[in-house]
Structures are given as C-alpha cells and as structure tokens.
Amino acid sequence: TQLLEQSPQFLSIQEGENLTVYCNSSSVFSSLQWYRQEPGEGPVLLVTVVTGGEVKKLKRLTFQFGDARKDSSLHITAAQPGDTGLYLCAGVRGGGSNYKLTFGKGTLLTVNP
Amino acid sequence: SQTIHQWPATLVQPVGSPLSLECTVEGTSNPNLYWYRQAAGRGLQLLFYSVGIGQISSEVPQNLSASRPQDRQFILSSKKLLLSDSGFYLCAWSVRQGRRETQYFGPGTRLLVL
C-alpha cells in the first residue's frame, strides 16, 4: 500500500480555472513537502509545512497541512500553462534520526491555454 | 550556494553491460545523499541513501549498488544491466533544520536499457 496517496492522479484544466490536489495518509508526518517536476528534470521544492493546520501561500498557490499532520492540500488559483507539471508530496515520518522522505506518486497537471 | 550535478544526462546501454552514474554536490559539507528511480514520470522510489563516506543503506533489493568514495560524491553502479533497470535516476542531497527535511534534486539521468 502507498503510504502517501495523491489525488487526482491526472488533471487537465483550462487556463484560468482553480484546482485542488490532495495528499493523504493514515500516518503522522513531522513535516511535509510539495515539489513540482517538469518533464526531464528533477523535482523542485515548492514549500515545506511543519505545523498542523499551517497554511502557506506562494503567489497563486496555497498549501495547507492538516490539523493532525496526516494530510495536505495544494490549491491553485487561476491556473496558467506554466503551472503544468507533476506535483509530488513527500513527508518525513517521526523524528530523531529519520531523514528519509516518502513520496506520493504525484498528480500530473496539464493547464491548457 | 549549493549545486548538484549528475552525469551523464542520457544513457543508452545494452542488456548485460555495466553501469556507472555519478552525482556530485558543491557548496555543502557532509550532506545526506540519495539515489531515486522514477518510472514513467511518476513517483520516486528511494534506492540508496548515505549519511557519510562509505556509509550506504539500501532500500530495496535490486541489481544496483551505490558507493560514496568522497564526501560529496555518490555513485550508482551495476555489473550487468537488466531491461527493468531503465528509468529516470535522480540524485538528491538534503539538509535538516529541526523537523524540516528538505531535499534538493539533481537534473537526473535518463537510462534506457535495450
């Protein structure tokens, strides 16, 4: 079973629409990251959330960490073609010396002009 | 500033041939280093990680091995490639601040085994 479930797996929308993608787990994470990856390149970090209920905004992107630190969402307002890419969530479980990130399978977003 | 390099960018190899992919990090000391494989542009599978020179941990049994001969160098190898080894290989380094574990990825190597 996948530790981090991302939904939807694929999303194709028109420019200007809003969208939300989700990252869910039954496990608690000490921190959670969102990455965006473009074809043929490595993922690039967008944001890290640490505190339950935390909300972070990055221009038109809004990230929320669930109160119980088991899930997260990414909301994009007025999507643009440049937002196209694979959005990956990743989390660190527990603390101490645990430094391994667990990745979801990603949401592949296509924004059509 | 820190940078991470991977080479080659693309590689086509026959089945049964050896493999060596290299990753180097600049601008940081004693980083944690990681090798991931990504199939069909989807999720990342952690293959190996290293917390120091000569210290390698394997996450999944496979046809590959990793080595860290220097602090900022991480090498992924195979003695005999399989068709199933094809994929996009990503190297990453990380820094931890409290509960924030942030990984920075290299540009990747696309491997095609024929």
Side-chain angles (χ1 to χ4, degrees), chain B residues 29-101:
Chain B
S29 296
N30 197 30
N32 290 339
L33 295 173
Y34 307 82
W35 276 113
Y36 290 88
R37 178 167 57 204
Q38 185 176 36
R42 301 296 283 158
L44 278 66
Q45 179 187 33
L46 179 62
L47 301 175
F48 301 95
Y49 65 93
S50 171
V51 299
I53 295 174
Q55 301 179 60
I56 308 294
S57 295
S58 174
E59 284 297 291
V60 293
Q62 59 203 303
N63 184 41
L64 302 168
S65 61
S67 61
R68 186 170 177 174
Q70 300 180 43
D71 181 43
R72 288 167 287 181
Q73 184 184 31
F74 205 21
I75 297 172
L76 184 68
S77 303
S78 174
K79 292 183 179 179
K80 287 186 178 181
L81 284 169
L82 305 173
L83 287 174
S84 57
D85 292 324
S86 293
F88 191 48
Y89 289 84
L90 288 158
C91 179
W93 71 276
S94 72
V95 58
R96 189 161 200 186
Q97 295 175 314
R99 286 189 290 163
R100 295 174 185 270
E101 171 73 20

Side-chain angles (χ1 to χ4, degrees), chain A residues 9 30-31 33 35 37 40-43 45 48 50 56 69 86 92 96 98-101 103-106, chain B residues 32 34 36 38 41-44 46 49 51 59 88 90 94 96 99-108 110:
Chain A
Q9 291 186 50
S30 59
S31 69
Q33 292 83 48
Y35 293 81
Q37 184 180 22
E41 299 182 8
L45 179 70
T48 300
V50 177
K56 282 195 172 180
R69 290 190 282 130
L86 180 67
V92 177
N98 185 1
Y99 34 71
K100 292 183 290 182
L101 279 179
F103 280 84
K105 290 188 176 181
Chain B
N32 290 339
Y34 307 82
Y36 290 88
Q38 185 176 36
R42 301 296 283 158
L44 278 66
L46 179 62
Y49 65 93
V51 299
E59 284 297 291
F88 191 48
L90 288 158
S94 72
R96 189 161 200 186
R99 286 189 290 163
R100 295 174 185 270
E101 171 73 20
T102 301
Q103 293 194 3
Y104 299 93
F105 288 84
R110 186 160 303 281

Side-chain angles (χ1 to χ4, degrees), chain A residues 21-106:
Chain A
V21 297
Y22 301 92
C23 177
N24 296 306
S25 176
S26 58
S27 300
V28 176
F29 290 90
S30 59
S31 69
L32 195 140
Q33 292 83 48
W34 285 91
Y35 293 81
R36 182 171 71 208
Q37 184 180 22
E38 298 190 12
E41 299 182 8
V44 175
L45 179 70
L46 297 174
V47 76
T48 300
V49 286
V50 177
T51 305
E54 183 177 0
V55 177
K56 282 195 172 180
K57 291 192 175 183
L58 186 66
K59 297 184 181 178
R60 294 176 292 99
L61 278 60
T62 301
F63 304 86
Q64 184 162 9
F65 201 14
D67 291 340
R69 290 190 282 130
K70 293 182 178 181
D71 51 78
S72 181
S73 64
L74 159 59
H75 181 80
I76 302 179
T77 303
Q80 299 177 1
D83 295 327
T84 294
L86 180 67
Y87 288 82
L88 295 159
C89 68
V92 177
R93 295 173 65 192
S97 62
N98 185 1
Y99 34 71
K100 292 183 290 182
L101 279 179
T102 299
F103 280 84
K105 290 188 176 181

